[in-house]
Amino acid sequence: MSIVITNISKSYGKVKALDDISFEVKPGELFGLIGPDGAGKTTLFRILTTLLIADGGKATVAGYDVVKEYKSIRNHVGYMPGRFSLYQDLTVEENLNFFATIFGTTIEENYDLIRDIYMQIEPFKDRRAGKLSGGMKQKLALSCALIHKPKVLLLDEPTTGVDPVSRKEFWDMLKRLQEKDITILVSTPYMDEAALCDRIALVQDGGILQIDTPNAIVKHYPKPIFNVGANNMYRLIESLNGYEYRHSVFPFGEFVHYTDSRPDFDPVSLKRYLESQDLSEIHIEKTRATIEDTFMELAK
Amino acid sequence: MNNNIVIQVDKLTKEFGDFTAVNAISFEVSRGEIFGFLGANGAGKTTAMKMLIGISKPSSGEAQVAGYSVRTQAEVIKKNIGYMSQKFALYDDLTVRENIAFFGGIYGLSKEGIREKADRLIEELGLGAVSKSLVGSLPLGWKQKLAFSVSMLHDPKIVFLDEPTGGVDPITRRQFWEMIYKAANNGTTIFVTTHYMDEAEYCDRVSIMVEGKIEALDTPKRLKEQFKADSMNAVFLKLARNIE
């Protein structure tokens, strides 16, 4: 196993940031921690990178214990924190050189690993890191986290606040790194990125709601789920929330995802109800659950 | 000017040296509309928004916001709009009630007015048990819902929301949008930026900025038809890719 987390807990005063968490990440796996701010994702990353000591439990990364063998871990792990943490007043190239030197290597030695990513920012290698755009900062941070050829890559919300185009590029890069036998643990608040991982853990309030492959998680959604649309979104949501048989009502893009509490739900009865609420252009159609649906059902 | 138009933008431009951040953009937003203002990082959204809320002067062009000129009446605009961003919304080291009182005071509400609004807000948002807690101790989602309400304390005609839901959990994110729908339904105009493409679908109309220009503007439905895409995410990727 590349990462083994056993009964890890951590509290800050009365707040339980992590509450008895256990899971494993296999070698070469792209594993996603999916959850909102405050779920405990960053705390877990800090424990795995030896920057924070857990109150209880054990963890190993690349075979090393996070407490007893913290120095070895630092040599074998690449870490990209959520907040941009490179030297803003060093240039792109100086930052990369700095991290290479600290880890006793050179840019040339491991250039293969970062070529795809670094090539995109190399034209700006003399620019100070603080002057880079968000997407370029992210690529530089990833290059710096990779320059010592780590076995395990830990990425804490690398795509938060990043636009959809740069996000897609970033995930393409992760897929290519995975082919080079690097194990990747990545966290994100974007549920659509979960589908790109081999396995995911849905996390909230310091606990794990579920761990599985994205497909299996979606397949286990407990109820038939329907897309409901009408002429007025606001009144549609209000009407659905006021319907006595509703189980869940969540806006999803142009439709509302609706589940019913009755085992023998007939969409015709819902259509009649919505018509009685003066809604028109009513559209009800069965749809497939997404990871976000599952997350919300589990978190309810 | 049509009474129903609350934002009218005409060739609005902002240059920084020889870089044109916002390049002659023009559009209109109607009363009670939810207008999504999208674009990649660095496309010029924030610069454009700063001009519309009266804190940055355009290099050329003009915009009327709530009927006032961004060139000559920026101070009046500030009194007639609400603003909330992901990065700054409330003071973490003030309590819920203190934050409401502070912003109410800034917006020029009377003491009684503030008390009434505070009572109503705290009840509506279900914050009764934490009204004396520091805002910094609240979950992010609660904070953002409170911040949205605070930005509307003075019943502004338009509220500008800059990535209001970043990092917020999916359930709270939807509750937040239900608040947006409610405000729009009451006639408040909502001008919102987001990186969540499903949220783009919640907007009445969406504009997409690419390199300082508005490259697309329509209802989500028509944009999807125009770009032969099945989601706004696909529309966004197509537009940005084509430019590269």
Side-chain angles (χ1 to χ4, degrees):
Chain A
M1 285 298 151
S2 270
I3 302 176
V4 181
I5 295 161
T6 318
N7 306 116
I8 287 280
S9 293
K10 177 75 191 177
S11 298
Y12 302 108
K14 276 187 235 155
V15 181
K16 274 190 178 168
L18 290 174
D19 190 6
D20 197 19
I21 289 221
S22 301
F23 68 90
E24 294 180 344
V25 180
K26 298 170 197 158
E29 197 168 32
L30 175 51
F31 191 99
L33 278 178
I34 317 293
D37 280 15
K41 305 188 299 288
T42 298
T43 300
L44 183 60
F45 275 108
R46 304 195 69 165
I47 290 169
L48 296 178
T49 49
T50 77
L51 301 173
L52 191 67
I53 293 180
D55 297 338
K58 261 178 68 85
T60 64
V61 179
Y64 302 106
D65 184 278
V66 291
V67 179
K68 288 183 210 124
E69 298 167 292
Y70 70 95
K71 282 189 179 164
S72 307
I73 288 194
R74 291 177 188 184
N75 281 326
H76 291 101
V77 165
Y79 174 42
M80 187 170 153
R83 186 173 290 194
F84 184 68
S85 312
L86 302 179
Y87 293 96
Q88 312 252 7
D89 45 4
L90 293 186
T91 66
V92 167
E93 194 174 32
E94 284 166 348
N95 264 298
L96 192 57
N97 239 325
F98 176 82
F99 283 94
T101 312
I102 280 196
F103 286 109
T105 181
T106 59
I107 297 180
E108 293 72 34
E109 194 170 328
N110 291 318
Y111 190 75
D112 255 12
L113 197 57
I114 63 163
R115 184 195 294 130
D116 280 357
I117 305 154
Y118 189 63
M119 254 171 44
Q120 302 173 48
I121 48 172
E122 213 163 15
F124 311 99
K125 64 180 183 188
D126 295 324
R127 191 179 288 187
R128 290 187 188 195
K131 297 277 179 200
L132 296 175
S133 73
M136 289 201 278
K137 276 183 182 163
Q138 184 202 38
K139 283 168 189 148
L140 176 59
L142 183 59
S143 302
C144 289
L146 282 169
I147 195 62
H148 59 298
K149 210 174 181 182
K151 291 179 184 149
V152 178
L153 193 55
L154 300 165
L155 309 170
D156 190 5
E157 297 206 16
T159 55
T160 292
V162 174
D163 67 73
V165 178
S166 306
R167 276 169 52 197
K168 185 167 185 312
E169 285 173 2
F170 193 84
W171 278 89
D172 291 343
M173 287 190 283
L174 293 191
K175 287 280 176 195
R176 285 198 294 273
L177 284 174
Q178 200 189 359
E179 286 162 15
K180 291 175 181 163
D181 290 327
I182 296 177
T183 305
I184 302 174
L185 177 66
V186 57
S187 69
T188 177
Y190 295 103
M191 304 274 157
D192 57 339
E193 294 181 345
L196 305 168
C197 301
D198 297 327
R199 282 194 307 146
I200 54 176
L202 302 178
V203 291
Q204 169 139 313
D205 295 333
I208 293 180
L209 301 171
Q210 197 168 11
I211 300 182
D212 216 324
T213 64
N215 272 335
I217 282 191
V218 170
K219 216 181 275 170
H220 292 149
Y221 190 80
K223 281 178 169 293
I225 190 159
F226 293 85
N227 268 337
V228 182
N231 59 325
N232 181 315
M233 189 66 155
Y234 174 64
R235 286 206 296 111
L236 173 64
I237 295 168
E238 270 200 328
S239 300
L240 288 172
N241 276 326
Y243 190 46
E244 59 179 317
Y245 300 112
R246 78 182 184 286
H247 174 73
S248 65
V249 175
F250 291 119
F252 248 87
E254 63 181 311
F255 299 112
V256 174
H257 278 190
Y258 173 83
T259 60
D260 198 271
S261 60
R262 292 165 292 186
D264 55 344
F265 170 57
D266 178 5
V268 175
S269 62
L270 176 62
K271 186 159 190 259
R272 269 194 225 113
Y273 165 74
L274 292 175
E275 279 165 352
S276 76
Q277 300 290 305
D278 280 336
L279 286 157
S280 58
E281 297 165 47
I282 293 161
H283 164 105
I284 303 174
E285 158 194 56
K286 205 157 178 250
T287 186
R288 288 173 51 178
T290 65
I291 288 173
E292 199 155 0
D293 288 301
T294 307
F295 187 96
M296 292 192 290
E297 180 63 27
L298 293 168
K300 253 171 85 166
Chain B
M1 194 167 124
N2 183 337
N3 276 339
N4 237 354
I5 303 292
V6 293
I7 302 177
Q8 182 153 37
V9 182
D10 186 23
K11 301 195 189 73
L12 195 67
T13 300
K14 182 78 183 186
E15 290 155 358
F16 298 108
D18 54 9
F19 175 66
T20 307
V22 176
N23 193 350
I25 59 172
S26 302
F27 60 90
E28 290 173 345
V29 183
S30 307
R31 180 173 181 276
E33 190 173 12
I34 303 175
F35 189 84
F37 197 59
L38 311 186
N41 299 108
K45 294 189 307 280
T46 303
T47 308
M49 198 148 165
K50 278 183 177 170
M51 289 192 277
L52 295 180
I53 61 175
I55 60 171
S56 168
K57 281 250 185 284
S59 308
S60 65
E62 171 65 291
Q64 305 274 332
V65 175
Y68 304 103
S69 157
V70 297
R71 302 187 73 90
T72 58
Q73 298 169 291
E75 289 310 310
V76 199
I77 288 179
K78 289 177 197 166
K79 293 200 175 80
N80 282 280
I81 61 164
Y83 174 77
M84 169 199 163
S85 88
Q86 183 198 10
K87 290 180 192 86
F88 174 77
L90 299 169
Y91 289 98
D92 275 349
D93 44 6
L94 295 182
T95 67
V96 169
R97 208 171 258 282
E98 285 166 348
N99 263 293
I100 298 173
F102 176 80
F103 284 99
I106 285 196
Y107 290 135
L109 270 58
S110 68
K111 267 201 173 145
E112 299 85 81
I114 290 175
R115 200 174 310 127
E116 262 170 43
K117 288 255 179 183
D119 288 344
R120 205 179 70 208
L121 264 184
I122 287 167
E123 199 200 311
E124 275 176 12
L125 295 172
L127 295 174
V130 293
S131 68
K132 289 182 181 139
S133 304
L134 296 185
V135 159
S137 70
L138 300 181
L140 177 72
W142 294 21
K143 265 197 242 182
Q144 297 304 78
K145 283 198 278 184
L146 177 61
F148 179 53
S149 301
V150 165
S151 76
M152 293 197 301
L153 274 177
H154 54 310
D155 300 319
K157 296 188 180 81
I158 309 163
V159 183
F160 289 84
L161 305 172
D162 194 1
E163 288 183 40
T165 55
V168 174
D169 72 82
I171 294 180
T172 313
R173 202 151 70 77
R174 287 174 170 78
Q175 291 167 348
F176 193 93
W177 271 90
E178 287 175 27
M179 291 174 71
I180 291 182
Y181 280 128
K182 191 174 172 192
N185 204 53
N186 292 334
T188 311
T189 302
I190 309 286
F191 188 97
V192 58
T193 73
T194 179
H195 283 318
Y196 291 98
M197 287 303 120
D198 61 328
E199 294 187 348
E201 309 255 11
Y202 303 157
C203 300
D204 294 317
R205 283 190 306 148
V206 166
S207 75
I208 301 179
M209 263 186 104
V210 182
E211 293 178 353
K213 289 184 185 159
I214 290 183
E215 291 292 342
L217 198 173
D218 215 325
T219 64
K221 196 170 173 218
R222 268 180 291 201
L223 284 176
K224 283 184 281 184
E225 284 164 9
Q226 185 188 339
F227 289 91
K228 297 185 177 60
D230 61 355
S231 68
M232 281 304 293
N233 193 50
V235 170
F236 193 96
L237 291 177
K238 274 191 177 174
L239 250 181
R241 281 280 147 82
N242 281 345
I243 301 299
E244 273 169 11

